[in-house]
Amino acid sequence: MYYLIIHGTVYPVTTPRAPRRGGELGSQSIVADGAIVIKDGLIQALGPTEDILQAYRSPDQIFDAQGRIVIPGFVDCHTHLPFAGWRADEYRSRLLGQSYQNLGRGEGGIARSSRQLNIQSDEQVLTFTESLTREMLSTGTTAFEMKSGYGLSVQGELRQLALIQRLKSRLDQRITATGLFLHALPQEYTADNWVDVVIDELLPAAHERQLVDAVDVFIESTAFTPEQAQRFLHAAQRLNLILRVHSDQFSHMGGTALALALGARGIDHLDHLTSEDVAAFGDSRSVAVLLPAATYSMNHQPFPPARDLIEHNAAIAIASDFNPGTAPISHMPLIISLAVHLFGLTPEEALSATTINPAYVLGIEQEVGSIEVGKRADLLILDTDQLESIPYRAGHNPIYQGFVKGKQIR
Ligand code: NIG
Ligand code: FE
């Protein structure tokens, strides 16, 4: 049983070595009038339509893309799913002049999302989250990260991670799990105590039950210090977990230098990066993960120095940061538009930054992120033959037809 997509303008986004960095980000080769063979959910072949039709003479189904663009499915390497409710009232308070930091003290902010999560049943959380993942699929996200961080206790974090595993088995999208164990300080602890509990109890339990692929920490004046982060990241490194860091979102704390020194795969936010940090990113092993939906939703300045990073040969990825506080947006085509308009990426750079590079950040670059033989058949056929239409028609959903693991989305 095999399926052919023919007459596509195919952007395979292949690269000899992920992640793409510097000038490689924007160089896209195209297979004009290309065809793709899908078998058992995987890509079996890619080539000129004429050759593929010669070689595969009796396909079970043919999809004629009629010149439309075909790209790999989007990989969203930073979301705070699962969560269990919105905080639109906090958003309204911010419109009236309250600060995010102020709303986060006491009952609001991350603590609020934690309560919403912790009072709901597993089924309620799964139902709420699943409907969001369907929205994401409809706008082209075929792989994504989910994080804990709203559990805010050992049991709460383990439960959130267990829910991620249940979603992973229910959904066709490729999902990875990250333990964001240092997100906000649970009320019962001092910061140093909580770091001890995380290192001694939570991290080993999550690792032993195979609930995490990666760990993450929020370094910020309202969250954790680089020293606390370092203790935690060292412990995670000993378990061979992928390291991620929320750094330089609202202030400069030295988190990026630490994360670079530890070889974190992804260092995220980066709105307050210094020129030394930019230079150090250069040929490092770390990807600069920029989150334009958070920058936009928070009306935050300065912007992360995307062009500077690219000029210094850094690898960059673009992700949603999907969460009810700072980024209630999961729509990757819109996020590409924000990255192009606010951060100055080209459409071609944005394509690398939302496919192969985030796949690398998540450690799944052998499975997804490009159109290559043996990878998952996660493919998007756009309703256009011009790549720049994605950012140009901001807010429009350009997915004409998509495939996740070889299955049609619509
Ligand atoms: O990435 N920065 C910390 N965490 C999230 C926001 C979480 C929330 O407000 O619920 C972020 O922006
Ligand atoms: Fe985040």
Side-chain angles (χ1 to χ4, degrees):
M1 172 99 185
Y2 58 89
Y3 195 115
L4 295 191
I5 298 171
I6 58 170
H7 300 308
T9 304
V10 183
Y11 285 71
V13 203
T14 47
T15 180
R17 208 185 58 183
R20 287 185 169 194
R21 57 181 66 254
E24 296 162 2
L25 275 158
S27 80
Q28 302 289 0
S29 61
I30 299 171
V31 184
D33 197 7
I36 298 166
V37 183
I38 301 174
K39 187 169 192 295
D40 300 329
L42 301 176
I43 296 165
Q44 165 117 353
L46 163 70
T49 297
E50 212 178 311
D51 300 357
I52 294 284
L53 285 174
Q54 283 289 327
Y56 295 84
R57 283 168 180 276
S58 48
D60 298 280
Q61 241 183 314
I62 295 189
F63 186 97
D64 186 347
Q66 296 180 316
R68 294 183 179 87
I69 286 178
V70 185
I71 59 175
F74 296 125
V75 180
D76 187 349
C77 68
H78 185 145
T79 89
H80 289 261
L81 288 166
F83 50 84
W86 298 107
R87 292 170 10 219
D89 49 350
E90 291 182 14
Y91 163 72
R92 181 181 285 278
S93 301
R94 283 197 284 113
L95 292 178
L96 296 171
Q98 284 235 46
S99 74
Y100 173 73
Q101 284 77 4
N102 231 354
L103 288 161
R105 286 187 244 279
E107 302 288 278
I110 295 169
R112 168 98 172 281
S113 284
S114 176
R115 272 199 316 284
Q116 288 172 335
L117 181 78
N118 291 337
I119 61 173
Q120 293 194 32
S121 69
D122 288 357
E123 263 330 298
Q124 282 173 314
V125 178
L126 293 172
T127 304
F128 184 86
T129 303
E130 238 186 294
S131 80
L132 298 176
T133 66
R134 278 196 296 274
E135 257 181 56
M136 288 161 68
L137 188 58
S138 75
T139 49
T141 301
T142 52
F144 58 94
E145 180 222 38
M146 299 179 108
K147 290 186 202 291
S148 69
Y150 290 131
L152 293 189
S153 68
V154 171
Q155 285 321 312
E157 290 290 301
L158 291 172
R159 172 190 181 234
Q160 204 181 356
L161 291 171
L163 290 174
I164 293 174
Q165 294 304 320
R166 283 180 65 185
L167 284 159
K168 194 173 165 176
S169 63
R170 282 191 193 188
L171 301 173
D172 287 324
Q173 287 136 304
R174 178 69 170 92
I175 290 169
T176 70
T178 299
L180 173 53
F181 297 146
L182 301 186
H183 192 199
L185 184 61
Q187 271 177 357
E188 318 78 85
Y189 298 91
T190 66
D192 285 316
N193 288 148
W194 176 242
V195 176
D196 289 339
V197 171
V198 166
I199 293 172
D200 297 338
E201 289 178 43
L202 178 51
L203 179 62
H207 180 252
E208 197 185 322
R209 298 177 203 180
Q210 298 187 319
L211 296 175
V212 278
D213 306 298
V215 297
D216 196 350
V217 43
F218 184 24
I219 298 177
E220 190 55 61
S221 55
T222 51
F224 295 89
T225 65
E227 294 70 32
Q228 289 157 349
Q230 184 170 30
R231 283 209 287 137
F232 166 57
L233 293 170
H234 272 153
Q237 204 167 39
R238 283 194 289 273
L239 300 175
N240 280 325
L241 293 169
I242 288 174
L243 308 184
R244 302 285 298 277
V245 176
H246 280 67
S247 181
D248 289 283
Q249 183 177 13
F250 300 112
S251 64
H252 185 74
M253 302 265 297
T256 299
L258 169 72
L260 286 168
L262 291 173
R265 279 234 183 186
I267 313 178
D268 302 44
H269 283 290
L270 309 178
D271 301 57
H272 290 269
L273 222 53
T274 63
S275 48
E276 292 81 59
D277 289 336
V278 171
F281 249 110
D283 295 299
S284 75
R285 287 180 289 159
S286 303
V287 177
V289 182
L290 309 182
L291 308 170
T295 305
Y296 165 80
S297 303
M298 299 303 284
N299 217 350
H300 189 76
Q301 301 263 5
F303 293 154
R307 290 256 52 98
D308 258 16
L309 283 162
I310 294 170
E311 267 154 40
H312 281 85
N313 209 36
I316 64 170
I318 300 290
S320 69
D321 196 16
F322 193 29
N323 77 77
T326 59
I329 301 173
S330 66
H331 191 300
M332 287 304 280
L334 174 60
I335 288 165
I336 286 176
S337 188
L338 295 174
V340 169
H341 287 246
L342 303 179
F343 299 169
L345 266 65
T346 66
E348 286 75 14
E349 288 168 342
L351 180 61
S352 302
T354 50
T355 53
I356 190 65
N357 280 9
Y360 170 83
V361 171
L362 298 180
I364 54 174
E365 73 276 14
Q366 303 295 335
E367 288 173 62
V368 301
S370 62
I371 302 177
E372 279 177 88
V373 172
K375 282 198 175 182
R376 278 170 52 119
D378 291 351
L379 304 163
L380 307 176
I381 299 166
L382 307 184
D383 63 2
T384 176
D385 58 4
Q386 290 171 302
L387 192 66
E388 59 273 25
S389 280
I390 304 177
Y392 168 63
R393 297 190 65 196
H396 169 69
N397 182 4
I399 313 303
Y400 180 78
Q401 178 58 270
F403 294 83
V404 60
K405 229 175 153 186
K407 286 190 215 163
Q408 284 197 36
I409 293 174
R410 310 183 163 209

